[in-house]
Amino acid sequence: AGRRRIGVTACRHCDPPIMDDVLRCSAVLSCQSGIPARDRVPPYLGHPLDKEAFLAWFRKHRPDGVIGFTAGHYHYLLEAGVRIPEDVSFAMLNRVSMKDDFISGVMPITHKVCFQILSLMDQLIRNRVLGMPEYCTTVLVEPNWNEGATM
């Protein structure tokens, strides 16, 4: 959409952050390393449902585009009088409901995730691995992109 200053709502569910929060924030900061300093927007690290903190972050940094963690971030911007996509482009990082089909963003593919989990569990059982596995395994399951109308 030609936007340069993209703000990402990396969010944290609790304090101290859980591993998922740390990985998400690390990914955002890593992606920003190749962006000129003038175009970098610090990620929003507050709780996903803290409307006032999110809007304070938005007003302070004035991004051209927002990658929201939930549909709530889209609605918070609309309630604050922000026109999407005219003023700010918006894409959702975690589109979990079909009612948000008009919002641009990614949607996890639950059946593919479940298949990978079952496959890993089957391998562990067949190899008589009891309890927690010795090493953490990260599996990337590509989500579906929804074009939506908010970009």
Side-chain angles (χ1 to χ4, degrees):
R3 308 296 185 167
R4 296 178 65 113
R5 300 189 69 251
I6 310 298
V8 181
T9 59
C11 298
R12 288 195 302 210
H13 291 91
C14 54
D15 199 12
I18 59 175
M19 182 55 71
D20 184 46
D21 297 338
V22 172
L23 292 174
R24 193 171 42 260
C25 184
S26 298
V28 170
L29 294 173
S30 176
C31 288
Q32 285 187 338
S33 67
I35 296 173
R38 70 180 179 280
D39 292 334
R40 287 186 205 147
V41 176
Y44 170 69
L45 299 176
H47 192 279
L49 302 179
D50 189 340
K51 177 181 177 179
E52 295 310 315
F54 167 74
L55 289 174
W57 167 84
F58 179 79
R59 288 183 193 110
K60 179 179 181 180
H61 299 291
R62 287 287 180 207
D64 298 332
V66 172
I67 299 175
F69 189 67
T70 69
H73 295 130
Y74 169 81
H75 295 289
Y76 295 163
L77 290 171
L78 285 184
E79 291 168 15
V82 177
R83 296 176 310 148
I84 301 171
E86 296 84 3
D87 299 332
V88 174
S89 294
F90 185 88
M92 195 179 343
L93 186 61
N94 194 21
R95 192 173 68 88
V96 294
S97 171
M98 293 310 287
K99 71 179 180 168
D100 301 320
D101 200 40
F102 63 95
I103 299 176
S104 304
V106 295
M107 184 169 193
I109 308 168
T110 307
H111 68 277
K112 288 184 180 180
V113 172
C114 291
F115 176 83
Q116 291 301 324
I117 291 169
L118 291 173
S119 178
L120 178 59
M121 288 174 62
D122 177 66
Q123 292 173 38
L124 294 171
I125 292 168
R126 288 176 190 273
N127 289 296
R128 292 179 169 65
V129 175
L130 302 176
M132 291 295 291
E134 187 175 353
Y135 302 102
C136 180
T137 302
T138 301
V139 178
L140 175 63
V141 178
E142 292 282 338
N144 281 341
W145 170 255
N146 178 56
E147 189 63 32
T150 60
M151 292 289 292

